[in-house]
Amino acid sequence: MPRMLEGDRAGMTRGPMERIYHIHEAVMEDRLPNCSTLATELEVTQKTIQRDITFMRDRLGLPLEYHGPSHGYRYTEDVSTFPVFEVGAEELAGLFLARQAIESVRGTQLETTMREVFAKLTRSMQGKVKFAWADLDQAFSRKPGGVTKTDLKLFGKLAEAVMQRREVEFRYRKLGSGQTEIRRIQPYHLGEVDHCWYLIGQDLERRALRTFAFPRINGAKVLKGRFEVPDDFDGPAYLGTSFGIWTDPERPDFKQEVRIELSGYAARLVEERRWHPSQQVTPLNATGSRVEVRFEVGRLEELVRWTLSWGSQAKVREPKSLRDQVRAEAAKIQAG
């Protein structure tokens, strides 16, 4: 059998920092690890482990030494924090934005877990990065709108079903309905849109793809029945045909061009933000106070609400069906 070289193993083994954290935890737990045991655990050569230990001692300044009688490594001094590399502006910004993602699971058990992990991570950065999270909270903030609470237990069940390709059954209340009904689904994909999680799958009774909002799912059960996801199904692409979440289940690949003229503040804002992957903005005058924004989407209902949100600053050019829907909805608002 040919000998596997270190370079050949690199693609299958853990990264350097992950190995170093593993070694650090083993030493902190007084397991007295040595190169042989660590190499077996991390699936690398003993030479690699020796390089990692040398790096920890010489570059990170950790009081690491080999204790002969115990045949393992230990710390000779208390190590309360773990040193890390210098963090630059981009890394710091990314870390802060990742921390803000905790807000999407506020009110769930996952929030507590994520906060504990983040606290452990930032404690290890003391002395290398001169900031306090409290200072950043005063300097930066996010105000997401329409955030839904995530049922962690439900998310776990459905994620397991998607990964293991197991059928699920639950009670579902359609939007606008006061009653729930039993649905049996082959779950293909989980997607988050506008701070709400959705399940996309084959409805076995209706024999068509359907999309289900987590807040309206109750009593989910993972069943024994298994299935195969069609080769031509692409979750992100399926969501890409909608402006938000609504797609045409009878024509999941159908798209039509939408052209909306925006003026004033709306023209400025649409240049700065992206509402859909297909979005294209074309200036209609030299000052940029009038623009045309184009989308390629399936259904139009969500675009009716989006267009109305701009008030008199928006005018639908195409298609006529969207223009008629916006006009009809505006009439109802005025009449009400």
Side-chain angles (χ1 to χ4, degrees):
M1 182 175 180
R3 179 172 174 266
M4 183 177 290
L5 299 177
E6 184 69 23
D8 298 328
R9 298 173 61 91
M12 300 186 297
T13 58
R14 304 178 184 184
M17 285 308 299
E18 186 176 357
R19 292 197 307 270
I20 288 172
Y21 276 111
H22 181 96
I23 296 169
H24 169 70
E25 290 179 357
V27 175
M28 288 292 290
E29 293 170 1
D30 293 324
R31 287 156 48 189
L32 293 167
N34 55 44
C35 290
S36 176
T37 59
L38 289 168
T40 301
E41 292 174 6
L42 296 171
E43 300 180 326
V44 295
T45 64
Q46 293 187 38
K47 187 179 293 185
T48 295
I49 297 297
Q50 187 61 63
R51 283 199 298 267
D52 291 338
I53 288 173
T54 300
F55 181 87
M56 293 171 69
R57 186 174 53 226
D58 298 345
R59 295 287 300 278
L60 299 183
L62 290 166
L64 191 61
E65 75 166 13
Y66 185 77
H67 187 243
S70 302
H71 303 289
Y73 286 93
R74 66 179 185 179
Y75 286 136
T76 57
E77 301 173 16
D78 178 58
V79 178
S80 57
T81 59
F82 187 80
V84 296
F85 298 107
E86 298 287 348
V87 176
E90 291 185 1
E91 290 86 354
L92 180 58
L95 187 62
F96 178 74
L97 292 175
R99 177 175 179 262
Q100 296 300 305
I102 295 175
E103 297 302 316
S104 66
V105 292
R106 179 182 289 276
T108 71
Q109 296 174 356
L110 187 57
E111 177 190 7
T112 302
T113 302
M114 290 181 66
R115 289 193 183 280
E116 290 175 353
V117 171
F118 240 95
K120 183 177 180 181
L121 175 62
T122 54
R123 279 198 303 269
S124 73
M125 299 173 68
Q126 296 300 317
K128 291 290 183 178
V129 181
K130 301 298 184 182
F131 72 90
W133 282 120
D135 296 335
L136 288 183
D137 286 336
Q138 291 298 318
F140 306 103
S141 67
R142 291 177 66 245
K143 186 183 178 182
V147 178
T148 60
K149 289 187 177 181
T150 302
D151 184 331
L152 189 60
K153 188 172 293 185
L154 173 63
F155 187 96
K157 281 185 178 180
L158 296 181
E160 179 184 35
V162 169
M163 297 299 293
Q164 296 183 0
R165 299 183 179 181
R166 298 271 295 274
E167 295 176 0
V168 295
E169 183 178 275
F170 50 77
R171 299 197 67 85
Y172 190 72
R173 178 177 57 81
K174 293 190 295 186
L175 196 63
S177 173
Q179 297 181 337
T180 62
E181 55 187 8
I182 296 177
R183 310 293 282 267
R184 184 167 179 149
I185 307 298
Q186 293 178 340
Y188 291 174
H189 184 75
L190 299 180
E192 185 188 22
V193 179
D194 290 336
H195 309 290
C196 182
W197 282 96
Y198 294 87
L199 168 68
I200 302 168
Q202 180 78 359
D203 188 307
L204 295 177
E205 182 178 344
R206 291 159 180 79
R207 298 182 181 180
L209 284 174
R210 291 290 187 269
T211 302
F212 304 92
F214 271 37
R216 297 195 292 277
I217 295 176
N218 286 292
K221 295 185 295 184
V222 179
L223 306 177
K224 294 182 179 180
R226 295 185 178 272
F227 62 92
E228 291 295 327
V229 179
D231 292 338
D232 59 353
F233 175 79
D234 184 326
Y238 181 83
L239 289 173
T241 62
S242 64
F243 188 73
I245 194 65
W246 291 2
T247 58
D248 187 340
E250 306 303 326
R251 300 182 298 173
D253 298 326
F254 172 73
K255 293 182 183 180
Q256 57 186 315
E257 185 180 70
V258 171
R259 298 165 54 214
I260 300 173
E261 180 180 330
L262 297 173
S263 59
Y265 73 89
R268 304 293 186 187
L269 287 177
V270 81
E271 287 271 20
E272 300 169 357
R273 304 183 186 181
R274 191 168 185 82
W275 277 270
H276 193 266
S278 66
Q279 177 175 321
Q280 294 183 356
V281 180
T282 304
L284 298 178
N285 61 10
T287 62
S289 60
R290 288 177 56 241
V291 301
E292 179 186 80
V293 59
R294 299 186 182 189
F295 304 108
E296 286 190 351
V297 298
R299 294 173 61 167
L300 302 175
E301 293 92 336
E302 291 163 315
L303 271 164
V304 173
R305 298 196 300 270
W306 187 83
T307 303
L308 288 170
S309 71
W310 299 112
S312 61
Q313 306 294 315
K315 181 171 64 176
V316 177
R317 290 188 164 191
E318 296 289 345
K320 181 179 181 300
S321 57
L322 176 59
R323 186 164 61 244
D324 292 342
Q325 290 180 51
V326 170
R327 186 180 292 119
E329 194 67 22
K332 291 178 183 177
I333 295 172
Q334 190 174 18

